[in-house]
Amino acid sequence: MMVFAALRLGNGDGMNQGDQKTGAFEYLTTRKDELIGWARKFSIFPYPFVTACCAMEFMSVSSTLYDTDRFGAALPRFSPRQSDLLMVVGTITHKQAPILKKVYEQMCEPKWVMAFGVCATSGGFYQNYAALQGIDKIIPVDVYIPGCPPRPESVIDGIMQLQDRIAGSKHPIINETF
Amino acid sequence: MTEHAEENLRNPVRPAFDTPCTEDGVIVNIGPSHPATHGTLQIIAELSGEKVVRADVHCGYLHRGFEKECETHTWHTLIPYVDRLNYCSALINDFAYCDAVETLMGVEITPRTRYLRTLLSEYSRIADHMTCIAASVMELGAMTAFLYLMTIRDWIYEHLADLTGARVTHSYGRIGGLAHDLPEGWLDRLAQILDEYEEYVGRIHGLMDRNRIFIDRTRDVGVISTEDAIHWGFTGPMLRSTGAARDLRRDTPYLAYSELDFEVPVGINGDNYDRYYVRMREMDESVHMIRQLMQLLPEGPINVDDRRCAFPEKPLVYTEIESLINHFKLVIDGPQVPAGEIYLAHEAANGELGFYLVSDGTGTPHKVHVRAPSFVHMGGLHKLLEGYQLADVVSTFGTVNMIGGECDR
Amino acid sequence: MNQELLERVRTRLVSEGREPEFAHGLLALSLPRPALLDTVRLLKGEFGFDLFLDVTAVDWPGRDPRFDVVFHFYSTRDHVRVRLKTAVPENDPVVDSLVPLFGSAAFMERECHDMYGIEFRGNADLRPILLYEGFQGHPLRKDYPKEREQPLVRYRK
């Protein structure tokens, strides 16, 4: 903690300075980010926003043969307040879109969104008045899993890519102004 | 959030009631995104304490415009859309649709296809009932039963993927036959899976049938009489659980069902336990039928030799001009179905799945309408919910097996 | 399938001046609008067609009357089906509702109204069921373009 107190010099966020003191700060924050990233990526609480046929593959991927529990991502939390990964599984129609937006907005940071299946990614082959042509029209998406429905291996690949993203991102719990 | 956004986050369809009718009534929204409702359905319930006094069922959250899509596709290219109606048992939808088009065209399928379609329909029915039972008992807390059933269902999916190329939405039926014939060793693996099925389902019976908690939660809950069931349009396991032995496979036989020996299981009370048990027994009957069909399966071609709907062989397409033109016409324009209309129904896993097709003589349908059993069941769902407790909504809804793709089309 | 029942129904309908015909295993009949409810009562009461299967409409844009409203019934005792069809014009798309006779008619009539705009006289609850409030137009009519979306939530940039 003395190190932090000594380093509360400099301006801005202290991350991009050239001198040695803030270099040490950067090293510590990087390690902190890696630690938190590691913890977060292996304890994902999905909110399965399940609508259509992809639900079959979601059930398969959560079960014993292809297990998401080994990634720490099996325990669903059905309250948006308690979950951090919004898995949009299946087609979202225009009637359902307000509900999706509401659930997304109720989730707390940090949160990620996974578009599971082509219907969530881009509307699938329902190019008509009823289906929302991709959920990224209303909420930001982190990982897209194509497939109609995607094989469980694709889903696991998607989860692993999301884990890489979580591990590699910055987690600003403590910053200069804390 | 701007005002525009606020306004649109209101309920898409106004509820049937918004003030309670009893003194201590509270109106509760069991919303479209709910852990215990499998699929998107909204129930607006008025509760007096724990008891549901009135229920207003809102479906339509998965309306994907199936009928409108069908009007811009050819009779062949809309088969994947048909698959995604009841996605738990996709093959039954395929075959019911293909049967309707074939009857309208006057095409008679080959004997091998007839038996294969029957076998695959029953196989799909097993997968569907497994999904329904697994999901509904999981909601009551029985995770073990869910995982057992998912294991065997996954084997069925992999096995069907060996045959059709896809695990869930197969698109295997074609007008005039099937996409291709069985691969080598498929029937041996089928026999293995049926043996494993016996073992796993035996475990489920052991866990659930006499389980005091399960019986307490499902016996005498969601009761409906046969007369009420017919008044509200119920068919399939929902009607059979009330005691009426109505099954299209027995009453109006189609495909190869007239040659098979099977029973139609019925319930006693019309409650949730009966619906669960009717589905378990129907799975056993399906296995019995599949075993008979494996013996009866004849050799022969899969696709009928009718140039109006079946593609010519590839070597011919590349060498003969007539076959090339035939292939081209079938792909671009679609099979020309004579003008007319037909209503044809098969016994799907949920009940009577009817296709009402209207053709104007071209390769694109004028109208394709699906009589979806789940949609009609939703019309009568409030009868099953009213008078019971809030927690029974979960139990009843699970056994009703509402499949969103079929209900909302 | 009990063809005998269909024969009796056919004889009775012919005696009332109608022209039913057999089509692909069921008895199909076209009716004028005012005769609909009575014929359905006859089928339900006297001939035992107790399961109401479906109501839908077919849009023939060049023709007047434009819509054909089609009903299907099934007899659970005799295992046969009947189709009734009645034509309604575009400027007056009203048909009698079957809700007093069959409970399952409620949802199906709502769907038909949603998709085609057919009014069912006697059904007090014609709220949208597959679509949502604020949706302009009736999508299954041939003049509604397939891709015209009416989003409820504003899109992100």
Side-chain angles (χ1 to χ4, degrees):
Chain A
M1 293 322 280
M2 288 298 291
V3 177
F4 280 110
L7 292 177
R8 208 180 273 277
L9 304 168
N11 47 359
D13 58 355
M15 301 279 201
N16 296 325
Q17 303 280 331
D19 38 287
Q20 260 198 340
K21 288 180 185 164
T22 48
F25 181 74
E26 269 180 3
Y27 173 77
L28 280 172
T29 50
T30 316
R31 300 312 272 167
K32 177 264 294 176
D33 278 340
E34 280 180 27
L35 174 67
I36 295 176
W38 175 86
R40 279 183 178 162
K41 83 178 186 186
F42 281 124
S43 64
I44 296 178
F45 287 102
Y47 181 108
F49 194 94
V50 161
T51 45
C53 352
C54 283
M56 301 295 107
E57 290 300 14
F58 175 72
M59 286 203 265
S60 282
V61 83
S62 309
S63 315
T64 54
L65 288 174
Y66 308 89
D67 198 0
T68 46
D69 213 355
R70 39 195 176 128
F71 301 96
L75 201 63
R77 289 267 143 254
F78 285 105
S79 163
R81 303 293 192 195
Q82 296 174 357
S83 60
D84 53 14
L85 173 65
L86 179 64
M87 296 176 86
V88 183
V89 182
T91 320
I92 300 296
T93 60
H94 283 295
K95 192 169 178 181
Q96 182 79 343
I99 288 120
L100 175 64
K101 186 121 170 72
K102 205 174 196 176
V103 166
Y104 176 75
E105 282 170 358
Q106 286 177 342
M107 285 169 72
C108 307
E109 295 285 340
K111 57 187 176 187
W112 299 279
V113 176
M114 168 194 279
F116 187 128
V118 282
C119 287
T121 308
S122 67
F125 64 177
Y126 293 104
Q127 306 283 314
N128 56 35
Y129 60 90
L132 181 65
Q133 304 293 307
I135 59 171
D136 51 8
K137 290 205 167 5
I138 54 174
I139 56 182
V141 175
D142 288 289
V143 63
Y144 298 88
I145 305 181
C148 191
R151 276 195 66 97
E153 290 94 338
S154 297
V155 178
I156 290 178
D157 186 37
I159 293 178
M160 287 167 71
Q161 288 193 12
L162 181 66
Q163 284 185 325
D164 288 341
R165 171 180 274 213
I166 295 173
S169 60
K170 296 201 187 339
H171 301 274
I173 292 180
I174 306 172
N175 57 28
E176 289 310 87
T177 53
F178 172 62
Chain B
M1 280 198 286
T2 65
E3 207 209 291
H4 168 87
E6 280 276 9
E7 183 189 297
N8 282 331
L9 294 182
R10 186 185 57 190
N11 213 45
V13 176
R14 68 185 180 277
F17 46 84
D18 49 11
T19 47
C21 69
T22 53
E23 281 185 22
D24 58 345
V26 168
I27 294 187
V28 149
N29 174 41
I30 303 171
S33 174
H34 190 269
T37 59
H38 288 276
T40 47
L41 190 90
Q42 185 180 27
I43 300 174
I44 296 177
E46 181 187 325
L47 303 178
S48 162
E50 275 290 312
K51 202 171 89 144
V52 175
V53 174
R54 285 190 289 179
D56 180 25
V57 175
H58 287 212
C59 51
Y61 287 93
L62 195 59
H63 175 68
R64 301 185 277 196
F66 164 77
E67 293 191 32
K68 194 75 180 178
E69 283 288 344
C70 286
E71 291 171 11
T72 51
H73 287 256
T74 68
W75 297 96
H76 265 139
T77 52
L78 66 88
I79 291 176
Y81 289 98
V82 166
D83 248 348
R84 284 150 177 83
L85 289 174
N86 184 343
Y87 37 79
C88 299
S89 54
L91 289 169
I92 300 184
N93 307 329
D94 277 350
F95 299 149
Y97 168 75
C98 290
D99 202 358
V101 180
E102 284 153 7
T103 313
L104 191 54
M105 279 178 90
V107 166
E108 176 92 31
I109 51 177
T110 66
R112 184 170 170 86
T113 301
R114 211 157 54 89
Y115 286 91
L116 259 184
R117 278 188 183 178
T118 319
L119 193 152
L120 291 169
S121 291
E122 291 308 309
Y123 205 32
S124 269
R125 192 186 311 270
I126 294 177
D128 195 315
H129 285 328
M130 265 186 199
T131 312
C132 169
I133 291 174
S136 57
V137 303
M138 176 176 73
E139 293 314 328
L140 301 180
M143 274 304 286
T144 312
F146 171 77
L147 291 173
Y148 278 147
L149 287 170
M150 286 294 115
T151 309
I152 191 134
R153 191 191 77 159
D154 221 88
W155 289 332
I156 294 181
Y157 278 173
E158 281 300 327
H159 192 219
L160 281 171
D162 282 342
L163 173 65
T164 65
R167 282 166 52 104
V168 179
T169 47
H170 311 106
S171 305
Y172 183 60
R174 297 285 182 270
I175 300 170
L178 299 169
H180 40 257
D181 207 338
L182 301 178
E184 286 243 356
W186 198 83
L187 289 172
D188 299 326
R189 176 74 185 136
L190 178 62
Q192 274 179 359
I193 288 181
L194 294 181
D195 290 333
E196 298 273 358
Y197 160 90
E198 313 259 279
E199 188 197 324
Y200 275 77
V201 168
R203 291 181 196 168
I204 307 295
H205 276 295
L207 285 171
M208 310 293 314
D209 281 3
R210 302 217 172 192
N211 186 320
R212 179 56 195 272
I213 301 174
F214 185 65
I215 293 178
D216 273 345
R217 285 213 63 180
T218 53
R219 254 284 169 244
D220 294 322
V221 172
V223 178
I224 193 163
S225 64
T226 306
E227 207 182 291
D228 271 345
I230 294 182
H231 178 77
W232 289 97
F234 289 5
T235 48
M238 305 244 347
L239 180 60
R240 289 197 277 281
S241 71
T242 66
R246 296 280 153 260
D247 187 336
L248 287 180
R249 297 172 290 173
R250 167 60 49 80
D251 300 336
T252 58
Y254 54 93
L255 289 178
Y257 288 108
S258 47
E259 297 160 42
L260 295 177
D261 159 49
F262 64 98
E263 283 179 4
V264 173
V266 292
I268 321 168
N269 245 354
D271 57 18
N272 287 348
Y273 190 84
D274 279 336
R275 285 188 274 275
Y276 153 82
Y277 209 74
V278 162
R279 289 201 167 94
M280 294 292 276
R281 288 287 301 121
E282 275 191 18
M283 285 203 287
D284 292 339
E285 290 300 321
S286 290
V287 169
H288 183 54
M289 282 195 254
I290 292 178
R291 290 207 163 109
Q292 293 173 52
L293 285 163
M294 280 162 64
Q295 303 302 318
L296 292 173
L297 194 62
E299 295 299 324
I302 286 287
N303 283 321
V304 70
D305 190 22
D306 189 333
R307 291 289 145 254
R308 288 178 297 158
C309 56
F311 287 121
E313 298 286 322
K314 263 303 196 235
L316 288 179
V317 171
Y318 288 134
T319 50
E320 280 182 0
I321 189 69
E322 298 91 15
S323 299
L324 180 68
I325 295 175
N326 188 349
H327 182 100
F328 179 81
K329 282 278 187 213
L330 278 177
V331 170
I332 299 294
D333 289 337
Q336 308 291 311
V337 175
E341 55 190 5
I342 183 169
Y343 176 87
L344 194 108
H346 275 203
E347 178 82 18
N350 276 339
E352 172 165 342
L353 176 71
F355 277 91
Y356 175 60
L357 308 175
V358 177
S359 166
D360 50 7
T362 61
T364 316
H366 186 80
K367 179 180 169 78
V368 175
H369 177 76
V370 179
R371 187 262 178 205
S374 295
F375 183 63
V376 184
H377 294 167
M378 289 301 105
L381 183 67
H382 63 280
K383 274 279 170 250
L384 296 175
L385 298 179
E386 284 167 2
Y388 298 99
Q389 298 190 342
L390 179 61
D392 296 330
V393 169
V394 168
S395 163
T396 308
F397 191 73
T399 54
V400 164
N401 199 24
M402 193 282 288
I403 304 288
E406 193 180 52
C407 177
D408 302 330
R409 282 151 286 143
Chain C
M1 286 206 239
N2 198 339
Q3 292 295 105
E4 186 239 313
L5 174 68
L6 287 184
E7 275 301 331
R8 281 194 291 131
V9 175
R10 201 183 82 87
T11 321
R12 174 59 182 272
L13 290 170
V14 163
S15 74
E16 295 193 350
R18 311 259 171 250
E19 292 165 3
E21 47 188 40
F22 287 103
H24 296 292
L26 49 72
L27 191 66
L29 174 64
S30 290
L31 290 175
R33 253 195 296 187
L36 178 70
L37 207 50
D38 289 328
T39 314
V40 174
R41 279 204 187 100
L42 175 75
L43 286 175
K44 182 177 181 193
E46 229 181 276
F47 293 105
F49 282 91
D50 47 0
L51 189 66
F52 175 51
L53 287 178
D54 201 18
V55 57
T56 183
V58 189
D59 184 11
W60 298 104
R63 196 186 77 167
D64 178 48
R66 182 174 172 184
F67 299 108
D68 262 339
V69 184
V70 183
F71 300 82
H72 287 92
F73 301 92
Y74 180 69
S75 161
T76 53
R77 205 189 52 209
D78 294 286
H79 321 308
V80 285
R81 294 196 181 91
V82 157
R83 176 191 304 147
L84 295 182
K85 222 198 286 198
T86 163
V88 293
E90 185 178 348
N91 51 5
D92 178 31
V94 186
V95 178
D96 285 321
S97 163
L98 297 185
V99 163
L101 295 172
F102 298 102
S104 46
F107 265 36
M108 294 199 261
E109 287 175 358
R110 274 172 75 182
E111 185 205 340
C112 197
H113 172 78
D114 233 354
M115 293 286 126
Y116 286 97
I118 310 281
E119 299 277 333
F120 288 89
R121 181 176 37 217
N123 186 341
D125 180 17
L126 280 179
R127 288 174 294 159
I129 187 168
L130 296 182
L131 299 169
Y132 36 91
E133 274 169 10
F135 193 93
Q136 313 278 349
H138 299 282
L140 278 181
R141 291 190 177 189
K142 295 288 181 184
D143 49 8
Y144 188 94
K146 186 180 82 150
E147 275 97 8
R148 183 196 296 165
E149 295 176 56
Q150 299 183 29
L152 281 180
V153 179
R154 213 168 29 155
Y155 288 172
R156 293 165 66 219
K157 294 289 168 287

